[in-house]
Structures are given as C-alpha cells and as structure tokens.
Amino acid sequence: MADKKIPEVVLNSGKKIPTIGFGTGSTPPQQTLLDAIEIGYRHFDTAALYNTEEPLGQAVSKALDLGLVKNRDELFITSKLWCTDAHHDLVLPALKTTLKKLGLEYVDLYLIHWPVRFKQDVEGLNFKSEDIIPFDIKGTWEAMEECYRLGLAKSIGVSNFGIKKLSTLLENAKIPPAVNQVEMNPLWQQGKLREFCKQKGIHVSAWSPLGGYNLSWGSSAVMENSVLHEIAEARKKSVAQFLIMQIALRWIYEQGVTPIVKSFNKERMKKNTEIFDWELNQEDLDKINQIPQCRFQKAEMFVSENGPYKSLEELWDDDV
C-alpha cells in the first residue's frame, strides 16, 4: 500500500487533483507504474502524442487486480488532445480513442496540448511548416466543454497557453479551464501567468519541473544551479542526501502549482514525493526569486513565416 498520502487541491470543477503527478512522456515499464502507485502516486499524466495511454491503462487495470488501489476513482488520470485533432469536430472522437486506449470510461482531466493545429494527416511531430494551420480556440473549447458535459472528462483544461490566449478562451467559455499545464521551474517561474491564472481560478500544473534534465531539448541548468545547491547544502551536510530536485519541487508546490515529475528510478520516485513535510524559509524563497530566468522549451518548431505564429512572441503571448 501507499507509503503516504499525497495532498490534494480542489479545482474549479469541484474535483480534487493530487499535488504531484507522474509523467509518462516516455514509456515507463509496467512495473515502474505499479511501483509508483505503491509509493503513493495517484495522479498520472499522459497524452495522445506520447503513445503511453495504452501501457498506462494496462497498469491501472493490473493495479486494481493486485489491490494496490481499491477502485478507479482513487486515481487521477490526465490526457491531452494532440494538434491534429485541435478542431471542433475532432475533439470528441479523439477523446473516445484516448479512452479506448486507456480502457477507461472517463479521464479526470483532458487538456488541449498546445494552442496549435496541424493538418489531420500529420503523424506525431513529423510536420512541415505548411502543416501548421489556424487554430480556432473558441470552436475547439466548445468541443472540450461537450466532453465535460458528457462526463467523459471530469475536468477540462489547456497546456502551454499564455495570458492572451487564455483571455480569448475565457471570453467565450461557458466552462472555464480547470488547469493550465505549462513549463515551470525555478529558472522559468511564470510569475505573471501564475498570477493571471490565480485571479481566474485556473490551477497551474508544471511540466519539466527540473528544466528538461536529461532530455534532448532540455538543460542541466536547474540541477546545477548554484542557488539551489546552496539551499540544499544549508539543509543537510550532503547535497546528495537532500537532492536538488526536492528543493525545486518543493518550491513549485509552495507556489500552489502541481509538478509533473518523470523519473523511473524507484529511489528518486520516492524522493520526489518527500516534499510535503518541510518548508523553504523566506531567505530561501528570496534567493530563488533572484535566479535569472530562461524558457528552455521555446517550441520554435511551431513558428513559421506563413503560419499562424510568425514569431515566438506570438506563440507565447510576448512572454519569451
């Protein structure tokens, strides 16, 4: 059974979300997912793009068989709509495909993965600039709302949306997004966007809370940051004992944000959950606030001369 319970927060949909999520951006072995459930993870994050919906669904089924969880309702499953299906008429069929792969009757949270639309014949990220076509926020969100009304998604939200795009969505929305999942870590703190989301009652979730460490597009800058090392050293004699990642994750949690972690190493998976019974002090927070800022995933691939986004400023609503 779970070592300890991870705290939850209530979304604007009235549903509770565990305050740390387990990411499946690359395929975890089934045993890793079962280990995660045993450690105490209840929130699992997947997406149509990742090709991990099926293995996650199989692990959920196995966890139920093994009695690691008593019923499906104990888990919080997030998936995401891919850019090929970011159109009013394609959202519901895409979610039904996701549910079939997961072997579930509903997802707890369904997100628009990017404010980007591809032509339908694009596979994954194998696209050319001419494959990027205009994205209709209003129509796509109406279809997301329908998924919510049908009970196929208990909460709906977005990912990688800046303030302008959220404002456009909110002007037309009957149901506001419950979550905006964005890149966030101590080196890209998203202060303005978080403040906007807070005012609008939108919960923020953080992907790549360690700055894409060990990923092709990412950086070791978070894990090697001297400020975080200093804070870790002050707390324990050895940095290794009080890992930098825990400082980064605790900082995110203290901002009221849910980090999505991705380690398949059992010891680190445990360590990532050990952030709830201690606090950073004001001096720590002040130091972290002074860290120079840098967005690691700029997503230049979505910017093109003739496409909907002609600059990074347009893609990221001037927050680059």
Side-chain angles (χ1 to χ4, degrees), residues 184-239:
M184 181 185 156
N185 55 67
L187 274 68
W188 188 244
Q189 299 183 10
Q190 296 276 23
K192 282 185 207 161
L193 181 61
R194 281 192 286 118
E195 187 50 43
F196 178 85
C197 288
K198 190 178 175 183
Q199 286 169 12
K200 302 295 181 185
I202 300 168
H203 182 70
V204 176
S205 174
W207 58 260
S208 286
L210 305 177
Y213 185 60
N214 283 341
L215 297 176
S216 57
W217 59 264
S219 163
S220 57
V222 172
M223 296 298 280
E224 291 171 5
N225 183 265
S226 59
V227 171
L228 300 179
H229 272 267
E230 201 181 303
I231 292 168
E233 279 173 16
R235 291 186 162 266
K236 294 272 178 176
K237 290 188 182 77
S238 147
V239 176

Side-chain angles (χ1 to χ4, degrees), residues 46 48 53-54 56-58 72 77-80 91-110 147 150-154:
T46 183
E53 292 170 326
E54 218 162 326
L56 176 58
Q58 288 164 357
R72 154 70 180 96
I77 308 293
T78 298
S79 195
K80 309 180 196 82
V91 174
L92 184 56
L95 176 54
K96 285 180 174 174
T97 299
T98 278
L99 291 173
K100 194 175 176 186
K101 286 182 177 176
L102 284 164
L104 299 175
E105 289 176 9
Y106 66 89
V107 288
D108 297 275
L109 178 62
Y110 196 45
C147 294
L150 291 168
L152 301 178
K154 300 295 184 186

Side-chain angles (χ1 to χ4, degrees), residues 13-306:
S13 58
K15 301 296 180 187
K16 290 177 180 173
I17 184 171
T19 51
I20 194 163
F22 191 90
T24 64
S26 53
T27 308
Q30 186 177 91
Q31 190 54 49
T32 300
L33 292 167
L34 296 174
D35 288 345
I37 292 171
E38 205 157 7
I39 287 164
Y41 288 92
R42 291 294 177 266
H43 174 183
F44 291 86
D45 182 276
T46 183
L49 175 69
Y50 303 161
N51 289 321
T52 55
E53 292 170 326
E54 218 162 326
L56 176 58
Q58 288 164 357
V60 167
S61 176
K62 181 91 170 168
L64 287 164
D65 289 348
L66 294 171
L68 295 176
V69 283
K70 290 189 184 72
N71 56 58
R72 154 70 180 96
D73 295 352
E74 287 181 35
L75 297 170
F76 189 101
I77 308 293
T78 298
S79 195
K80 309 180 196 82
L81 175 81
W82 187 232
C83 304
T84 43
D85 296 312
H87 177 269
H88 181 278
D89 300 343
L90 303 175
V91 174
L92 184 56
L95 176 54
K96 285 180 174 174
T97 299
T98 278
L99 291 173
K100 194 175 176 186
K101 286 182 177 176
L102 284 164
L104 299 175
E105 289 176 9
Y106 66 89
V107 288
D108 297 275
L109 178 62
Y110 196 45
L111 305 176
I112 299 174
H113 205 151
W114 286 90
V116 173
R117 186 179 171 206
F118 292 160
K119 290 177 182 171
Q120 252 190 295
D121 57 356
V122 168
E123 289 191 17
L125 283 165
N126 300 317
F127 65 94
K128 303 184 188 81
S129 58
E130 58 266 29
D131 292 325
I132 305 171
I133 54 179
F135 169 63
D136 172 20
I137 289 184
K138 184 173 181 282
T140 306
W141 188 251
E142 278 174 5
M144 294 288 285
E145 291 176 331
E146 184 60 16
C147 294
Y148 172 81
R149 286 191 201 97
L150 291 168
L152 301 178
K154 300 295 184 186
S155 301
I156 50 175
V158 295
S159 183
N160 304 305
F161 273 51
I163 292 172
K164 284 183 192 171
K165 292 179 187 65
L166 281 173
S167 299
T168 302
L169 189 158
L170 288 165
E171 277 167 25
N172 299 293
K174 292 184 176 69
I175 301 163
V179 169
N180 185 17
Q181 188 183 115
V182 295
E183 179 185 356
M184 181 185 156
N185 55 67
L187 274 68
W188 188 244
Q189 299 183 10
Q190 296 276 23
K192 282 185 207 161
L193 181 61
R194 281 192 286 118
E195 187 50 43
F196 178 85
C197 288
K198 190 178 175 183
Q199 286 169 12
K200 302 295 181 185
I202 300 168
H203 182 70
V204 176
S205 174
W207 58 260
S208 286
L210 305 177
Y213 185 60
N214 283 341
L215 297 176
S216 57
W217 59 264
S219 163
S220 57
V222 172
M223 296 298 280
E224 291 171 5
N225 183 265
S226 59
V227 171
L228 300 179
H229 272 267
E230 201 181 303
I231 292 168
E233 279 173 16
R235 291 186 162 266
K236 294 272 178 176
K237 290 188 182 77
S238 147
V239 176
Q241 279 179 297
F242 206 88
L243 298 161
I244 302 298
M245 59 191 189
Q246 290 177 301
I247 303 282
L249 295 174
R250 176 69 200 186
W251 177 80
I252 290 169
Y253 174 68
E254 287 191 17
Q255 309 315 302
V257 174
T258 295
I260 306 296
V261 298
K262 198 176 78 177
S263 174
F264 299 163
N265 172 293
K266 196 170 181 181
E267 194 49 42
R268 282 201 295 274
M269 283 159 59
K270 273 186 187 162
K271 290 279 184 203
N272 284 342
T273 65
E274 292 169 4
I275 61 167
F276 301 110
D277 55 359
W278 53 277
E279 290 178 1
L280 293 164
N281 60 39
Q282 194 54 50
E283 192 186 342
D284 297 335
L285 296 171
D286 291 343
K287 282 178 185 170
I288 292 171
N289 284 339
Q290 298 306 311
I291 294 174
Q293 296 294 289
C294 170
R295 185 192 286 279
F296 295 116
Q297 175 55 284
K298 294 187 173 61
E300 291 101 334
M301 68 264 194
F302 296 140
V303 173
S304 70
E305 225 170 88
N306 302 312

